Amino acid sequence: MLRLPYALFCLLVGNMILLSSAVGADGDALPLPDRFEHLMVASKVAEPNDPIRGIELAREALVLAEEAGSLLHELQARSRLAYALRLSSRYEESQRVAEAGLARPPTAETRLERVRLLYDLARVYWNLGDNAKAAELYVQVQREAEALPDDALRAQVLNSRGILAGSQNFLTEATNYYQEALALAGVLGDRELESKIKNNLALILRDQTRYDEAQRLLEANLAYHLANGNRRGQANALINLASIESVLGRWSETLDLQSRALAIRQDLGVPRHVAGAHLLVADALTKLGRPAEALEHLRTADRLADEVKSHELWGNIYTSFADAYEANRDFELALKYQRRVEQEKVLVTGEETAKTVAELRERFAAEKRQLEIAELRASEQEQAVTLALNQTELSRTRQQRLGLLVLIVFSAITVTAVIRRQRAEARAERLILAETQRAREAAEDAARLKSRLVDLVSHDLKNPLVGIMMTADTMADPSLDQAALVRRAAGLKHESRKMFELVQDLLDSSAAESGLIELNLEATDLAELVQDQVEELRERAIRKNQDLVFRGDYAENCLIDADTARLAQVVENLVDNAIKYSPPGSPIEVRVSGGELVYLEVRDRGPGFSAEDLGNIFKPHHRLSAIPTAGESSTGLGLSIAKMMVELHGGRLTAESPSGGGAVLTASFPNSARLEVGV
């Protein structure tokens, strides 16, 4: 039963090779559309078992389309190439290919191909761990597919949305997506897509502890791929079957299935897939009490992850390292890797937050926003129509009054009174509309602020809490000596300080955005205040072997009207930012100078700011593209709070990256002494 499809597959591949040879010998043997179609089909056939050949054929199809000047064929080839590159873990290259196609001028003929490229791009973002961006694009693709309509693309994107929902533990929603996609694939008769969806549905059944149902689906999936000679599909099916064995605690069976999958993936040679297989084998070895062997597989996976550059993959590898070292009773290295896991989670999520918040946004944001906008527009149109009718009625009444004025002079006073009253009513209506609009905007601002606070509290507080809990666990080890206990206590203090700074940033950001900050202004020598703050921060710089230097221009008057506590906070944020992003051993210069304005300048020799950073640096929750040189955490609030505080003092905060390197943050304030004498 299994031999006939495999024989057909081999026959198809053989025909493709013969046809490829004929075309290679005579480039004009086939007309352009046929040559293009041949390359596209050959790429799709080769890709599961020879990924490199699949990519090469897709590139040839793209070159052929570009030389012929066919935009439709170009976008089709870009979609095939982006897909093949993504499956080979070449995500950045896949993203460039898709974005280049989307940058081409849109036409009615290429609308479907542009939507498919958008879908390819969404899957790249998902592979890179940017779930929020992927979800946003999936919703856009689904709408376009329903409008075209294209049931095949709808089934594919519903399957992808199911994967995303399942990864965020929304099992019921994921099941609904899969069932809808499966129904469409059945109508289309697409066995390959049905197989993929059933595989994903099996994983949901597994997570719902319906192990027998899940195993039957996965075994059928494995048989399908064996019959069709799809080695990538075989490896995936083996890994998923192993996941059921692992849930049931049958680790020997798990190791056998994972080892078979690893052998297939090593033959295919896709770095991300090979690294993932090593990772799964390592987890099984750890559970079997063989941590030394597990660590060897993890080191191999770590080297491969450097080629892939996926923070999601690094996070999974570091988690397994922590488990393996803990099993080996090396708690210090286990804690080190657990902290690296948390750092990778921050990089994966970026400005995004906990999975629940991300999924709620993905599920409701686009649809609800469109609905709210539509309702708001309808309400505004209704109000505009009502107002127009009132204005028309008012105009008609004026004409009637003017006519009466010609006939009856004594009615002029009455007419004037009526007109004034109607004008007052119109003004009142306009005021009510304006107040309603302001109230709506205030409510939306409050909702956005609340969402950002929930995001930060749900995610950024978790990292130091995890560090505190793990440090406390290691301190409970009776074998620790006094020196180790002192180091752990210092770690607890460090994590607690991070939590305190985060809460302080949240309170300040909330108060500033709500306009609730009141300043207690008094005449202040900025040079003295900054010098005191630099001395307090010097210890942080010393820990990173940095040279923190203060230069004050005492020859000039540096008096400003300031709230000293708030201004000290600004200085701490600016200097702490320089310490955080400057490499060890580098100098940091803090200068205060007077004149028409009083200037505070913080200059470092770090990586500086990218063009994107300079455009968004003072926006709340924006994290810089550079990574802190000692793994310090960042809420993305420090510089936005500093800017708001400076502006509350009547000043201005700017950022720049000089051509010589590094970064400069400059705050300028009115010189109160010069203002008093009228300079």
Side-chain angles (χ1 to χ4, degrees), residues 33-63:
D34 292 341
R35 280 187 289 154
F36 177 80
E37 187 64 26
H38 157 70
L39 290 169
M40 293 285 283
V41 173
S43 171
K44 186 175 182 180
V45 170
E47 175 265 317
N49 299 304
D50 190 351
I52 295 176
R53 181 58 179 159
I55 292 172
E56 291 173 350
L57 290 167
R59 287 194 193 281
E60 290 180 31
L62 177 58
V63 171

PDB file of all heavy atoms in Angstrom, residues 33-63:
ATOM      1  N   PRO A  33       6.937  30.526 -19.914  1.00  0.00           N
ATOM      2  CA  PRO A  33       6.037  30.061 -18.848  1.00  0.00           C
ATOM      3  C   PRO A  33       6.310  28.616 -18.440  1.00  0.00           C
ATOM      4  O   PRO A  33       6.273  28.278 -17.264  1.00  0.00           O
ATOM      5  CB  PRO A  33       4.642  30.233 -19.453  1.00  0.00           C
ATOM      6  CG  PRO A  33       4.809  31.257 -20.530  1.00  0.00           C
ATOM      7  CD  PRO A  33       6.179  31.011 -21.089  1.00  0.00           C
ATOM      8  N   ASP A  34       6.619  27.747 -19.435  1.00  0.00           N
ATOM      9  CA  ASP A  34       6.863  26.341 -19.124  1.00  0.00           C
ATOM     10  C   ASP A  34       8.178  26.166 -18.371  1.00  0.00           C
ATOM     11  O   ASP A  34       8.280  25.368 -17.437  1.00  0.00           O
ATOM     12  CB  ASP A  34       6.885  25.512 -20.409  1.00  0.00           C
ATOM     13  CG  ASP A  34       5.501  25.441 -21.046  1.00  0.00           C
ATOM     14  OD1 ASP A  34       4.524  25.703 -20.329  1.00  0.00           O
ATOM     15  OD2 ASP A  34       5.413  25.137 -22.255  1.00  0.00           O
ATOM     16  N   ARG A  35       9.217  26.893 -18.814  1.00  0.00           N
ATOM     17  CA  ARG A  35      10.498  26.803 -18.100  1.00  0.00           C
ATOM     18  C   ARG A  35      10.344  27.285 -16.664  1.00  0.00           C
ATOM     19  O   ARG A  35      10.873  26.681 -15.720  1.00  0.00           O
ATOM     20  CB  ARG A  35      11.564  27.648 -18.821  1.00  0.00           C
ATOM     21  CG  ARG A  35      12.161  26.964 -20.039  1.00  0.00           C
ATOM     22  CD  ARG A  35      13.306  27.778 -20.594  1.00  0.00           C
ATOM     23  NE  ARG A  35      12.825  29.002 -21.243  1.00  0.00           N
ATOM     24  CZ  ARG A  35      13.533  30.120 -21.390  1.00  0.00           C
ATOM     25  NH1 ARG A  35      14.762  30.178 -20.909  1.00  0.00           N
ATOM     26  NH2 ARG A  35      13.025  31.171 -22.000  1.00  0.00           N
ATOM     27  N   PHE A  36       9.620  28.381 -16.486  1.00  0.00           N
ATOM     28  CA  PHE A  36       9.409  28.925 -15.144  1.00  0.00           C
ATOM     29  C   PHE A  36       8.644  27.919 -14.277  1.00  0.00           C
ATOM     30  O   PHE A  36       9.033  27.637 -13.134  1.00  0.00           O
ATOM     31  CB  PHE A  36       8.631  30.246 -15.231  1.00  0.00           C
ATOM     32  CG  PHE A  36       8.304  30.840 -13.898  1.00  0.00           C
ATOM     33  CD1 PHE A  36       9.253  31.559 -13.188  1.00  0.00           C
ATOM     34  CD2 PHE A  36       7.045  30.682 -13.337  1.00  0.00           C
ATOM     35  CE1 PHE A  36       8.952  32.100 -11.951  1.00  0.00           C
ATOM     36  CE2 PHE A  36       6.728  31.224 -12.110  1.00  0.00           C
ATOM     37  CZ  PHE A  36       7.690  31.935 -11.413  1.00  0.00           C
ATOM     38  N   GLU A  37       7.569  27.381 -14.817  1.00  0.00           N
ATOM     39  CA  GLU A  37       6.752  26.422 -14.056  1.00  0.00           C
ATOM     40  C   GLU A  37       7.565  25.181 -13.704  1.00  0.00           C
ATOM     41  O   GLU A  37       7.445  24.630 -12.609  1.00  0.00           O
ATOM     42  CB  GLU A  37       5.507  26.043 -14.863  1.00  0.00           C
ATOM     43  CG  GLU A  37       4.512  25.189 -14.100  1.00  0.00           C
ATOM     44  CD  GLU A  37       3.927  25.909 -12.903  1.00  0.00           C
ATOM     45  OE1 GLU A  37       3.886  27.165 -12.915  1.00  0.00           O
ATOM     46  OE2 GLU A  37       3.514  25.228 -11.939  1.00  0.00           O
ATOM     47  N   HIS A  38       8.397  24.732 -14.641  1.00  0.00           N
ATOM     48  CA  HIS A  38       9.252  23.575 -14.377  1.00  0.00           C
ATOM     49  C   HIS A  38      10.171  23.826 -13.181  1.00  0.00           C
ATOM     50  O   HIS A  38      10.298  22.987 -12.277  1.00  0.00           O
ATOM     51  CB  HIS A  38      10.088  23.253 -15.619  1.00  0.00           C
ATOM     52  CG  HIS A  38      11.344  22.488 -15.298  1.00  0.00           C
ATOM     53  ND1 HIS A  38      11.332  21.181 -14.871  1.00  0.00           N
ATOM     54  CD2 HIS A  38      12.643  22.893 -15.327  1.00  0.00           C
ATOM     55  CE1 HIS A  38      12.582  20.806 -14.642  1.00  0.00           C
ATOM     56  NE2 HIS A  38      13.382  21.813 -14.916  1.00  0.00           N
ATOM     57  N   LEU A  39      10.816  24.981 -13.148  1.00  0.00           N
ATOM     58  CA  LEU A  39      11.727  25.307 -12.048  1.00  0.00           C
ATOM     59  C   LEU A  39      10.983  25.399 -10.719  1.00  0.00           C
ATOM     60  O   LEU A  39      11.473  24.939  -9.676  1.00  0.00           O
ATOM     61  CB  LEU A  39      12.448  26.625 -12.338  1.00  0.00           C
ATOM     62  CG  LEU A  39      13.481  26.585 -13.470  1.00  0.00           C
ATOM     63  CD1 LEU A  39      13.929  27.998 -13.835  1.00  0.00           C
ATOM     64  CD2 LEU A  39      14.683  25.745 -13.066  1.00  0.00           C
ATOM     65  N   MET A  40       9.785  25.981 -10.735  1.00  0.00           N
ATOM     66  CA  MET A  40       9.007  26.133  -9.508  1.00  0.00           C
ATOM     67  C   MET A  40       8.601  24.765  -8.952  1.00  0.00           C
ATOM     68  O   MET A  40       8.737  24.489  -7.749  1.00  0.00           O
ATOM     69  CB  MET A  40       7.768  26.984  -9.762  1.00  0.00           C
ATOM     70  CG  MET A  40       8.062  28.431 -10.102  1.00  0.00           C
ATOM     71  SD  MET A  40       8.555  29.395  -8.657  1.00  0.00           S
ATOM     72  CE  MET A  40       6.948  29.629  -7.882  1.00  0.00           C
ATOM     73  N   VAL A  41       8.103  23.880  -9.824  1.00  0.00           N
ATOM     74  CA  VAL A  41       7.682  22.549  -9.384  1.00  0.00           C
ATOM     75  C   VAL A  41       8.896  21.746  -8.913  1.00  0.00           C
ATOM     76  O   VAL A  41       8.854  21.057  -7.882  1.00  0.00           O
ATOM     77  CB  VAL A  41       6.935  21.816 -10.515  1.00  0.00           C
ATOM     78  CG1 VAL A  41       6.657  20.367 -10.114  1.00  0.00           C
ATOM     79  CG2 VAL A  41       5.636  22.534 -10.838  1.00  0.00           C
ATOM     80  N   ALA A  42       9.997  21.828  -9.663  1.00  0.00           N
ATOM     81  CA  ALA A  42      11.206  21.083  -9.294  1.00  0.00           C
ATOM     82  C   ALA A  42      11.729  21.536  -7.934  1.00  0.00           C
ATOM     83  O   ALA A  42      12.182  20.724  -7.119  1.00  0.00           O
ATOM     84  CB  ALA A  42      12.279  21.267 -10.363  1.00  0.00           C
ATOM     85  N   SER A  43      11.654  22.839  -7.651  1.00  0.00           N
ATOM     86  CA  SER A  43      12.087  23.359  -6.347  1.00  0.00           C
ATOM     87  C   SER A  43      11.231  22.798  -5.222  1.00  0.00           C
ATOM     88  O   SER A  43      11.732  22.369  -4.183  1.00  0.00           O
ATOM     89  CB  SER A  43      12.007  24.884  -6.350  1.00  0.00           C
ATOM     90  OG  SER A  43      12.227  25.399  -5.047  1.00  0.00           O
ATOM     91  N   LYS A  44       9.915  22.772  -5.455  1.00  0.00           N
ATOM     92  CA  LYS A  44       9.002  22.265  -4.424  1.00  0.00           C
ATOM     93  C   LYS A  44       9.232  20.777  -4.174  1.00  0.00           C
ATOM     94  O   LYS A  44       9.197  20.315  -3.025  1.00  0.00           O
ATOM     95  CB  LYS A  44       7.559  22.512  -4.847  1.00  0.00           C
ATOM     96  CG  LYS A  44       6.535  22.144  -3.787  1.00  0.00           C
ATOM     97  CD  LYS A  44       5.131  22.533  -4.213  1.00  0.00           C
ATOM     98  CE  LYS A  44       4.116  22.197  -3.135  1.00  0.00           C
ATOM     99  NZ  LYS A  44       2.733  22.576  -3.530  1.00  0.00           N
ATOM    100  N   VAL A  45       9.486  20.001  -5.239  1.00  0.00           N
ATOM    101  CA  VAL A  45       9.712  18.561  -5.096  1.00  0.00           C
ATOM    102  C   VAL A  45      11.033  18.289  -4.382  1.00  0.00           C
ATOM    103  O   VAL A  45      11.127  17.406  -3.522  1.00  0.00           O
ATOM    104  CB  VAL A  45       9.693  17.884  -6.484  1.00  0.00           C
ATOM    105  CG1 VAL A  45      10.167  16.440  -6.382  1.00  0.00           C
ATOM    106  CG2 VAL A  45       8.294  17.930  -7.069  1.00  0.00           C
ATOM    107  N   ALA A  46      12.073  19.058  -4.695  1.00  0.00           N
ATOM    108  CA  ALA A  46      13.395  18.804  -4.131  1.00  0.00           C
ATOM    109  C   ALA A  46      13.514  19.255  -2.681  1.00  0.00           C
ATOM    110  O   ALA A  46      14.258  18.661  -1.895  1.00  0.00           O
ATOM    111  CB  ALA A  46      14.466  19.507  -4.973  1.00  0.00           C
ATOM    112  N   GLU A  47      12.773  20.280  -2.320  1.00  0.00           N
ATOM    113  CA  GLU A  47      12.977  20.956  -1.030  1.00  0.00           C
ATOM    114  C   GLU A  47      12.880  20.058   0.207  1.00  0.00           C
ATOM    115  O   GLU A  47      13.718  20.165   1.110  1.00  0.00           O
ATOM    116  CB  GLU A  47      11.993  22.138  -0.944  1.00  0.00           C
ATOM    117  CG  GLU A  47      11.982  22.873   0.373  1.00  0.00           C
ATOM    118  CD  GLU A  47      10.884  22.337   1.264  1.00  0.00           C
ATOM    119  OE1 GLU A  47       9.773  22.097   0.770  1.00  0.00           O
ATOM    120  OE2 GLU A  47      11.176  22.140   2.439  1.00  0.00           O
ATOM    121  N   PRO A  48      11.930  19.079   0.319  1.00  0.00           N
ATOM    122  CA  PRO A  48      11.846  18.298   1.562  1.00  0.00           C
ATOM    123  C   PRO A  48      13.072  17.434   1.830  1.00  0.00           C
ATOM    124  O   PRO A  48      13.415  17.199   2.981  1.00  0.00           O
ATOM    125  CB  PRO A  48      10.592  17.434   1.357  1.00  0.00           C
ATOM    126  CG  PRO A  48       9.800  18.129   0.301  1.00  0.00           C
ATOM    127  CD  PRO A  48      10.809  18.762  -0.593  1.00  0.00           C
ATOM    128  N   ASN A  49      13.741  16.936   0.775  1.00  0.00           N
ATOM    129  CA  ASN A  49      14.858  16.011   0.962  1.00  0.00           C
ATOM    130  C   ASN A  49      16.207  16.584   0.542  1.00  0.00           C
ATOM    131  O   ASN A  49      17.249  16.038   0.899  1.00  0.00           O
ATOM    132  CB  ASN A  49      14.593  14.718   0.186  1.00  0.00           C
ATOM    133  CG  ASN A  49      13.343  14.016   0.678  1.00  0.00           C
ATOM    134  OD1 ASN A  49      13.226  13.720   1.854  1.00  0.00           O
ATOM    135  ND2 ASN A  49      12.398  13.783  -0.223  1.00  0.00           N
ATOM    136  N   ASP A  50      16.206  17.677  -0.222  1.00  0.00           N
ATOM    137  CA  ASP A  50      17.450  18.334  -0.638  1.00  0.00           C
ATOM    138  C   ASP A  50      17.217  19.847  -0.568  1.00  0.00           C
ATOM    139  O   ASP A  50      17.007  20.509  -1.596  1.00  0.00           O
ATOM    140  CB  ASP A  50      17.823  17.905  -2.057  1.00  0.00           C
ATOM    141  CG  ASP A  50      19.226  18.367  -2.447  1.00  0.00           C
ATOM    142  OD1 ASP A  50      19.827  19.159  -1.676  1.00  0.00           O
ATOM    143  OD2 ASP A  50      19.712  17.972  -3.521  1.00  0.00           O
ATOM    144  N   PRO A  51      17.216  20.419   0.652  1.00  0.00           N
ATOM    145  CA  PRO A  51      16.864  21.835   0.824  1.00  0.00           C
ATOM    146  C   PRO A  51      17.731  22.778  -0.006  1.00  0.00           C
ATOM    147  O   PRO A  51      17.232  23.766  -0.546  1.00  0.00           O
ATOM    148  CB  PRO A  51      17.066  22.067   2.325  1.00  0.00           C
ATOM    149  CG  PRO A  51      16.995  20.707   2.943  1.00  0.00           C
ATOM    150  CD  PRO A  51      17.531  19.765   1.927  1.00  0.00           C
ATOM    151  N   ILE A  52      19.019  22.479  -0.118  1.00  0.00           N
ATOM    152  CA  ILE A  52      19.916  23.373  -0.866  1.00  0.00           C
ATOM    153  C   ILE A  52      19.525  23.406  -2.344  1.00  0.00           C
ATOM    154  O   ILE A  52      19.470  24.470  -2.971  1.00  0.00           O
ATOM    155  CB  ILE A  52      21.377  22.923  -0.696  1.00  0.00           C
ATOM    156  CG1 ILE A  52      21.799  23.077   0.773  1.00  0.00           C
ATOM    157  CG2 ILE A  52      22.292  23.731  -1.602  1.00  0.00           C
ATOM    158  CD1 ILE A  52      23.192  22.581   1.066  1.00  0.00           C
ATOM    159  N   ARG A  53      19.208  22.234  -2.910  1.00  0.00           N
ATOM    160  CA  ARG A  53      18.791  22.177  -4.315  1.00  0.00           C
ATOM    161  C   ARG A  53      17.469  22.925  -4.500  1.00  0.00           C
ATOM    162  O   ARG A  53      17.267  23.608  -5.512  1.00  0.00           O
ATOM    163  CB  ARG A  53      18.645  20.717  -4.759  1.00  0.00           C
ATOM    164  CG  ARG A  53      18.243  20.533  -6.224  1.00  0.00           C
ATOM    165  CD  ARG A  53      19.233  21.183  -7.172  1.00  0.00           C
ATOM    166  NE  ARG A  53      18.869  20.995  -8.560  1.00  0.00           N
ATOM    167  CZ  ARG A  53      19.310  21.759  -9.562  1.00  0.00           C
ATOM    168  NH1 ARG A  53      20.127  22.780  -9.308  1.00  0.00           N
ATOM    169  NH2 ARG A  53      18.947  21.517 -10.799  1.00  0.00           N
ATOM    170  N   GLY A  54      16.567  22.794  -3.523  1.00  0.00           N
ATOM    171  CA  GLY A  54      15.300  23.516  -3.600  1.00  0.00           C
ATOM    172  C   GLY A  54      15.506  25.014  -3.666  1.00  0.00           C
ATOM    173  O   GLY A  54      14.838  25.726  -4.428  1.00  0.00           O
ATOM    174  N   ILE A  55      16.465  25.521  -2.890  1.00  0.00           N
ATOM    175  CA  ILE A  55      16.766  26.957  -2.897  1.00  0.00           C
ATOM    176  C   ILE A  55      17.372  27.371  -4.239  1.00  0.00           C
ATOM    177  O   ILE A  55      17.014  28.407  -4.814  1.00  0.00           O
ATOM    178  CB  ILE A  55      17.717  27.297  -1.732  1.00  0.00           C
ATOM    179  CG1 ILE A  55      16.994  27.125  -0.392  1.00  0.00           C
ATOM    180  CG2 ILE A  55      18.261  28.726  -1.861  1.00  0.00           C
ATOM    181  CD1 ILE A  55      17.897  27.246   0.812  1.00  0.00           C
ATOM    182  N   GLU A  56      18.303  26.565  -4.756  1.00  0.00           N
ATOM    183  CA  GLU A  56      18.954  26.903  -6.030  1.00  0.00           C
ATOM    184  C   GLU A  56      17.942  26.995  -7.170  1.00  0.00           C
ATOM    185  O   GLU A  56      17.982  27.919  -7.993  1.00  0.00           O
ATOM    186  CB  GLU A  56      20.013  25.849  -6.351  1.00  0.00           C
ATOM    187  CG  GLU A  56      21.227  25.890  -5.412  1.00  0.00           C
ATOM    188  CD  GLU A  56      22.169  24.727  -5.658  1.00  0.00           C
ATOM    189  OE1 GLU A  56      21.780  23.798  -6.421  1.00  0.00           O
ATOM    190  OE2 GLU A  56      23.280  24.729  -5.093  1.00  0.00           O
ATOM    191  N   LEU A  57      17.010  26.042  -7.227  1.00  0.00           N
ATOM    192  CA  LEU A  57      16.008  26.055  -8.297  1.00  0.00           C
ATOM    193  C   LEU A  57      15.080  27.262  -8.170  1.00  0.00           C
ATOM    194  O   LEU A  57      14.686  27.865  -9.175  1.00  0.00           O
ATOM    195  CB  LEU A  57      15.196  24.755  -8.254  1.00  0.00           C
ATOM    196  CG  LEU A  57      15.969  23.493  -8.673  1.00  0.00           C
ATOM    197  CD1 LEU A  57      15.199  22.235  -8.289  1.00  0.00           C
ATOM    198  CD2 LEU A  57      16.247  23.504 -10.177  1.00  0.00           C
ATOM    199  N   ALA A  58      14.733  27.625  -6.942  1.00  0.00           N
ATOM    200  CA  ALA A  58      13.883  28.803  -6.741  1.00  0.00           C
ATOM    201  C   ALA A  58      14.613  30.069  -7.188  1.00  0.00           C
ATOM    202  O   ALA A  58      14.011  30.984  -7.769  1.00  0.00           O
ATOM    203  CB  ALA A  58      13.468  28.908  -5.275  1.00  0.00           C
ATOM    204  N   ARG A  59      15.919  30.124  -6.930  1.00  0.00           N
ATOM    205  CA  ARG A  59      16.704  31.296  -7.381  1.00  0.00           C
ATOM    206  C   ARG A  59      16.727  31.363  -8.910  1.00  0.00           C
ATOM    207  O   ARG A  59      16.633  32.452  -9.491  1.00  0.00           O
ATOM    208  CB  ARG A  59      18.125  31.220  -6.841  1.00  0.00           C
ATOM    209  CG  ARG A  59      18.268  31.494  -5.361  1.00  0.00           C
ATOM    210  CD  ARG A  59      19.730  31.729  -5.008  1.00  0.00           C
ATOM    211  NE  ARG A  59      19.944  31.702  -3.586  1.00  0.00           N
ATOM    212  CZ  ARG A  59      19.676  32.708  -2.765  1.00  0.00           C
ATOM    213  NH1 ARG A  59      19.161  33.830  -3.254  1.00  0.00           N
ATOM    214  NH2 ARG A  59      19.920  32.615  -1.471  1.00  0.00           N
ATOM    215  N   GLU A  60      16.884  30.225  -9.541  1.00  0.00           N
ATOM    216  CA  GLU A  60      16.892  30.209 -11.014  1.00  0.00           C
ATOM    217  C   GLU A  60      15.553  30.715 -11.556  1.00  0.00           C
ATOM    218  O   GLU A  60      15.508  31.469 -12.535  1.00  0.00           O
ATOM    219  CB  GLU A  60      17.161  28.793 -11.513  1.00  0.00           C
ATOM    220  CG  GLU A  60      18.583  28.305 -11.274  1.00  0.00           C
ATOM    221  CD  GLU A  60      18.791  26.885 -11.799  1.00  0.00           C
ATOM    222  OE1 GLU A  60      18.118  26.530 -12.790  1.00  0.00           O
ATOM    223  OE2 GLU A  60      19.604  26.143 -11.221  1.00  0.00           O
ATOM    224  N   ALA A  61      14.462  30.312 -10.915  1.00  0.00           N
ATOM    225  CA  ALA A  61      13.135  30.776 -11.348  1.00  0.00           C
ATOM    226  C   ALA A  61      13.014  32.289 -11.182  1.00  0.00           C
ATOM    227  O   ALA A  61      12.453  32.982 -12.048  1.00  0.00           O
ATOM    228  CB  ALA A  61      12.041  30.067 -10.545  1.00  0.00           C
ATOM    229  N   LEU A  62      13.563  32.827 -10.087  1.00  0.00           N
ATOM    230  CA  LEU A  62      13.504  34.266  -9.852  1.00  0.00           C
ATOM    231  C   LEU A  62      14.315  35.024 -10.908  1.00  0.00           C
ATOM    232  O   LEU A  62      13.859  36.047 -11.445  1.00  0.00           O
ATOM    233  CB  LEU A  62      14.022  34.587  -8.449  1.00  0.00           C
ATOM    234  CG  LEU A  62      14.087  36.068  -8.066  1.00  0.00           C
ATOM    235  CD1 LEU A  62      12.712  36.728  -8.184  1.00  0.00           C
ATOM    236  CD2 LEU A  62      14.632  36.241  -6.642  1.00  0.00           C
ATOM    237  N   VAL A  63      15.513  34.545 -11.211  1.00  0.00           N
ATOM    238  CA  VAL A  63      16.343  35.194 -12.241  1.00  0.00           C
ATOM    239  C   VAL A  63      15.625  35.181 -13.582  1.00  0.00           C
ATOM    240  O   VAL A  63      15.597  36.185 -14.313  1.00  0.00           O
ATOM    241  CB  VAL A  63      17.711  34.489 -12.340  1.00  0.00           C
ATOM    242  CG1 VAL A  63      18.487  34.999 -13.552  1.00  0.00           C
ATOM    243  CG2 VAL A  63      18.515  34.713 -11.064  1.00  0.00           C
TER     244      VAL A  63
END
